[in-house]
Amino acid sequence: MSMSILPLSQWRIPPELLQDLSKVMTPTGVADYVALTVLSMAGATYLSRGLLWDQPDPYAHLAFERPQLKHGAGAGSGSKETRNIAQKLAETEKDLVVFWGSQSGTAEGFANRLAREITLRFGVGALSADLSDFDPESVAQIPDSKVVVFVLSTYGEGDPSDNTAEFWDWVNKATKEQVTLQNLRYFAFGLGNSNYKYYNRVVDVVVESLDRLGAKSLMPVGRANDAEGATQEDFIGWKESLFSEFSHQLGFEEKEVQYVPTLAVQEDESLEPIDLHHGEPDNRDSSRITAQCSPVRPLDIATSRQLFEVSDKQQQQQRHCLHIDLDLTSHPELSYKTGDHLAIWPGNPDDEVARLLQVLGRSARRDAPISIQSVDPATKVKIPSPTSAAALFRYYLEICAPVNRDNVLGLAQFAPTPAAKSYLLELGQDKARYAAFLNRTHVNLGRLLQLASPDAPWSELPLSYLVETLPPTQPRYYSISSSSVISPRKASITVLVSSTPVPEAPDQLIHGVTSNYLLAISETLHSSSSHPQGLTYHLTGPNDALTGGKVFAHLRKSRFKLPRLGSCPLIMVAAGTGIAPFRAFIAERRQLQQIGREIGEMILFFGCRHPDEDFLYCDELDSLQTALEGKLRIVTAFSRLGGATPKRYVQDRVQEVGGEVVRLMDEGANFYICGRAGMAREVDAVVGGVMKNAKGWEEEQVNEWRRGIKRRNKWQEDVWG
């Protein structure tokens, strides 16, 4: 039996039925009108979804993109780089790969340096490789005829760098049943800082996982410790041991080292100024632009003010601290959340740029167009090309950093006189002598070349060597000190201006690159005056892109966040500019209170030198404490009150009010630390001791408690140094 159904358009409804329906559907009272209004609003709300509310994040797809595919090599050329490292080694005929995991650029620089030197000293084809450029599982396909070196940095709470994250997840989750690495022969070197609780954790965990999967370590793990500034020397010492193993264990034959460039840097008069990169940050840098970081944009400095300006008689210098508000209004694609970081891209001082151009004999050709191309297809060009020598030294290379001993020895081959060559060889071959030399004077590249050869220019020193050996300019990150709830389109940062005296020459100052750059901009905006130490910068930026008080900057997401519940208690510990994110936290809690929301109890431990000198945001914090009506308690620690008053640090005050700390932790408080890593380590130890005494715990119970609260994200740190 079949049955056909008429289409809706052919249905015929009797007129009397329509009349009855109209009577029923006509509103007859207030309740009916209210119901219709509610239904209409609900319908309008539903239909406007995606237009007026619940709009999709236009950048959400970035979380699922591999950063290296977004702007990978060969983009625009129709070619696609392989993500299989075994295939890459075969295609490029390389026998060794140096994988790097780098957050600040140091590990990347070491890897590039190592790969280049291995090729020159042993004639072995070596590839320096960003871990995020390759599928982690392809590591298992590397044959035992190849050699792998890992150079891995640890930052924060034992975290891997952003470009190591995918490999980190794979190597930790892989099982012997799924993966075998029996063919993998490797060496490993880690970069860390013993001031941090999890010193060199990344390289240790990776090595443990590699060994568990059957890989063969050819030498004990090397570790650099930046706590005493020994990273460069630690790397040089490990490298010497590595090369010894290359000779004895792998049978690599060492030969006389002669410089062979991996980059071709040449002047090209056919180029016009409009063709050049004049210093704009390279938004194609795939190792930086990830789901965690926004693109670099020129941001207006809306306001800038000095938080303090005091004379430090002990160090014979002026100390400055700035509060800077950056306007995001003209860049709607940029947004931040309370607790995130803002990165500033600096320019180098005019006198250092001029010094280096002069000593190289390039002052007259400073703006001549130069192209930078890779000689080896496996080598990536990190500097935007074409450009000029002036832009190279002002914006793209770290020319103000001290020169490491390796580079001192490498520079000797280009010396313009026998005396200059002898000077550099004697200096670079003696570790103790070079350390003492650095203590007497701060030598960047330009100053070193000037000292070695005061009269003859270094005209034989190729630009390719400098591009290969000097680290690319890196942004400096600052914790955002504003709340995104209160100030969504203006992000503020708190900047301590760094000018440190040379230990054995206190009349000489080592100027922090970015903080002094920002100080110069701030002075210009206020009174058209100059930098207090006379430093000058090209403040209008490349192609005048920064005219009117702008800086190149980008935003980076952070895990340093307030709890979802406003009623959750907070314990905050800060020293110096570590107060920045807590200024935002407290202001946001005050905003919640003003709209009638319940907020939890807060205690802020803050340390500085003297209440009359560097107590940051003192009046503002005092007003917030009053407005919060007992919800906020501020506990201060001053280290230089003078007289008979003992030095007090934040960890001392945490110890003194330990009972309050225990009570709030028992009530579910979140614990935050922001400041130097050494301070954070001391606070961690004090809190552990306080909990141990209060609870009668054994040491293992304290450690288990620590692990538990950190696992639940109840203990968070934003630390540096």
Side-chain angles (χ1 to χ4, degrees), residues 10-25:
Q10 297 182 27
W11 284 19
R12 301 186 66 181
I13 303 175
E16 57 272 16
L17 179 58
L18 289 174
Q19 291 177 0
D20 292 340
L21 285 172
S22 66
K23 292 177 183 178
V24 174
M25 298 298 290

Side-chain angles (χ1 to χ4, degrees), residues 246-466:
F246 279 2
S247 298
H248 296 110
Q249 188 174 168
L250 300 180
F252 291 173
E253 185 176 346
E254 194 165 356
K255 60 181 184 178
E256 183 181 355
V257 176
Q258 292 182 336
Y259 174 64
V260 178
T262 58
L263 299 174
V265 182
Q266 299 173 330
E267 289 192 7
D268 187 346
E269 291 291 353
S270 68
L271 297 169
E272 298 292 334
I274 196 172
D275 300 322
L276 307 185
H277 295 268
H278 294 280
E280 304 86 350
D282 189 3
N283 273 317
R284 300 170 305 160
D285 184 355
S286 62
S287 64
R288 185 193 60 76
I289 300 176
T290 68
Q292 300 303 310
C293 292
S294 75
V296 181
R297 296 288 184 258
L299 300 183
D300 286 287
I301 294 180
T303 59
S304 173
R305 70 179 192 270
Q306 291 256 13
L307 294 175
F308 68 73
E309 180 181 0
V310 298
S311 177
D312 189 326
K313 296 179 181 178
Q314 183 176 343
Q315 294 193 343
Q316 300 179 2
Q317 61 163 310
Q318 287 288 114
R319 298 176 65 234
H320 303 265
C321 190
L322 306 172
H323 175 92
I324 298 175
D325 294 308
L326 294 122
D327 194 346
L328 310 181
T329 305
S330 57
H331 299 284
E333 74 276 16
L334 299 185
S335 64
Y336 76 99
K337 297 295 183 184
T338 305
D340 283 347
H341 299 130
L342 189 140
I344 301 292
W345 291 79
N348 289 312
D350 291 336
D351 60 344
E352 295 299 342
V353 175
R355 185 198 313 275
L356 189 50
L357 287 167
Q358 181 182 9
V359 79
L360 294 174
R362 290 183 172 270
S363 296
R365 305 287 297 163
R366 59 182 292 143
D367 296 317
I370 57 173
S371 66
I372 306 173
Q373 296 178 333
S374 175
V375 175
D376 182 348
T379 301
K380 289 186 176 181
V381 178
K382 288 289 187 178
I383 304 297
S385 176
T387 184
S388 67
L392 195 64
F393 297 149
R394 188 182 301 283
Y395 295 110
Y396 292 132
L397 295 176
E398 295 275 10
I399 67 169
C400 294
V403 185
N404 62 67
R405 274 199 309 122
D406 268 358
N407 281 354
V408 172
L409 294 170
L411 288 165
Q413 63 190 302
F414 308 111
T417 65
K421 182 174 184 178
S422 176
Y423 177 86
L424 292 180
L425 289 175
E426 289 178 10
L427 189 61
Q429 288 170 348
D430 190 329
K431 175 180 176 181
R433 180 181 175 183
Y434 190 63
F437 175 72
L438 286 180
N439 275 333
R440 289 195 305 273
T441 183
H442 176 70
V443 282
N444 54 37
L445 178 64
R447 296 185 188 190
L448 177 66
L449 298 179
Q450 213 170 41
L451 283 170
S453 179
D455 302 316
W458 290 70
S459 53
E460 298 302 314
L461 176 54
L463 279 179
S464 59
Y465 183 82
L466 300 184

Side-chain angles (χ1 to χ4, degrees), residues 572 574 579 582 586 602-606 621 632-635:
M572 300 165 283
I579 190 68
F582 300 140
I586 296 167
M602 295 174 283
I603 182 167
L604 169 66
F605 295 92
F606 176 67
L621 288 171
L632 172 64
R633 179 184 175 188
I634 299 176
V635 180

Side-chain angles (χ1 to χ4, degrees), residues 191-196 199-200 224-231 234 676-678 681 721:
L191 287 76
N193 187 317
S194 60
N195 282 330
Y196 289 80
Y199 167 61
N200 261 314
N225 186 0
D226 201 41
E228 301 298 330
T231 297
D234 289 339
R676 291 203 167 272
R681 187 179 59 184

